[in-house]
């Protein structure tokens, strides 16, 4: 009931004659989304999926009319501002992450699975097929890569033709990658196209069974995804690796070791540069002290204090760089 009331408030907006009415409405809608998020994230998976679909619609589609297939979507009055649309996208990604860690099927060993054994994100992507062909929901950003979009669904339908219990762990991993790449189509089409081309290449080699090259290609792709800004995609890469890590070859393992070694080398290079910078600054400080031998004790104390501050700043920068390197290592560790 609370969720329904908040949803009505979001879509209805506020009638105001104030000059800042659009800003007030946007802030109110964003607050409502945050409130609903707090309620939904502690509820069951079905309600979380429903709210995630609600956010998906308002993030990437303009709702012009009502539709019986999507009763949760109603035309907002006034229209959503770009600020609210961006806020919907942020909350959508957060909900999608929560949903990917929940399973309604207690017997399933995989995360993000509904009661029917399929991924929650599959049901969400199935809704997108109805949305893109519905005149009441024009897309805010048209899909231009139609070939990749069509090929994406042909593979998903091929995998879904098998029952959940008869699929291999590799097929589950490929489907998860394809589904998240499909979501990426609505936001970053060029990046989605690049990811899809690599996944298609791996999948075709895996399906043909002609060689084991797909393993090293897939591992290389998963490692590259770890460098993406999207936390959702990085989590997906780790989940997919868990599904295929039982059957890796030596080339795949070598790729992981090379990635770890490169992060170690980067850290060593950063430390060397910091040491050189510190030695240069200390030499400059010695020159300044020798040239100012006639200064009084107070000025010498100030110079020493400045040198200490410089050393503190250098140490802080080193700690930041080490933290970044540690983050990279921690992202690669799950792949081992």
């Amino acid at each position: 009931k609370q969720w329904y009331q908040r949803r009505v408030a979001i879509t209805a907006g506020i009638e105001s004659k104030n000059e800042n009415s659009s800003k007030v409405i946007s802030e109110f809608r964003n607050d409502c989304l945050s409130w609903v998020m707090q309620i939904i994230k502690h509820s069951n998976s079905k309600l979380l999926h429903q709210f995630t679909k609600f956010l998906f619609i308002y993030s990437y589609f303009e709702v012009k009319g009502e539709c019986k297939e999507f009763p949760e979507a109603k035309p907002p009055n006034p229209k959503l501002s770009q600020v609210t649309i961006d806020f919907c996208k942020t909350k959508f990604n957060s909900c999608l992450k929560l949903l990917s860690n929940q399973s309604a099927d207690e017997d399933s060993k995989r995360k993000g699975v509904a009661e029917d054994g399929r991924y929650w994100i599959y049901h969400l992507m199935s809704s997108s097929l109805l949305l893109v062909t519905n005149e009441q929901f024009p897309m805010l950003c048209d899909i231009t890569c139609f070939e990749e979009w069509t090929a994406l669904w042909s593979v998903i339908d091929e995998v879904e033709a098998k029952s959940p219990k008869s699929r291999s762990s590799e097929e589950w991993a490929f489907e998860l990658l394809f589904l998240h790449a499909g979501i990426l189509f609505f936001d970053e089409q060029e990046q989605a196209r690049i990811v899809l081309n690599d996944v298609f290449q791996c999948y075709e080699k895996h399906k043909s069974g002609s060689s084991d090259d797909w393993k090293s290609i897939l591992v290389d792709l998963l490692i590259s995804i770890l460098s993406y800004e999207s936390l959702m995609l990085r989590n997906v890469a780790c989940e997919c690796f868990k599904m295929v890590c039982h059957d890796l070859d030596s080339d795949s393992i070598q790729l992981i070791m090379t990635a770890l070694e490169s992060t170690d080398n980067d850290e060593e290079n950063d430390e060397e540069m910091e040491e050189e910078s510190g030695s240069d600054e200390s030499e400059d400080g010695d020159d300044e002290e020798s040239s100012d031998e006639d200064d009084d004790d107070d000025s010498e104390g100030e110079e020493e204090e400045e040198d200490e501050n410089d050393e503190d700043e250098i140490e802080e920068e080193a700690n930041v760089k080490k933290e970044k390197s540690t983050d990279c290592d921690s992202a690669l560790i799950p792949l081992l």
Side-chain angles (χ1 to χ4, degrees), residues 177 195 220-228 230 233-234 237:
L177 280 173
V195 172
D220 189 35
L221 173 62
L222 295 178
I223 292 175
S224 65
I225 291 177
L226 291 177
S227 64
Y228 290 179
S230 173
L233 287 178
R234 296 201 299 270

Side-chain angles (χ1 to χ4, degrees), residues 29-45:
R29 285 169 166 167
N30 294 352
D31 287 341
C32 287
L33 287 171
S34 297
W35 295 334
V36 175
M37 182 74 176
Q38 293 299 319
I39 298 171
I40 295 296
K41 72 178 184 180
H42 298 297
S43 62
N44 59 68
S45 300

Side-chain angles (χ1 to χ4, degrees), residues 77 89 260 327:
N77 181 28
K89 290 181 181 180
L260 288 170
D327 292 340

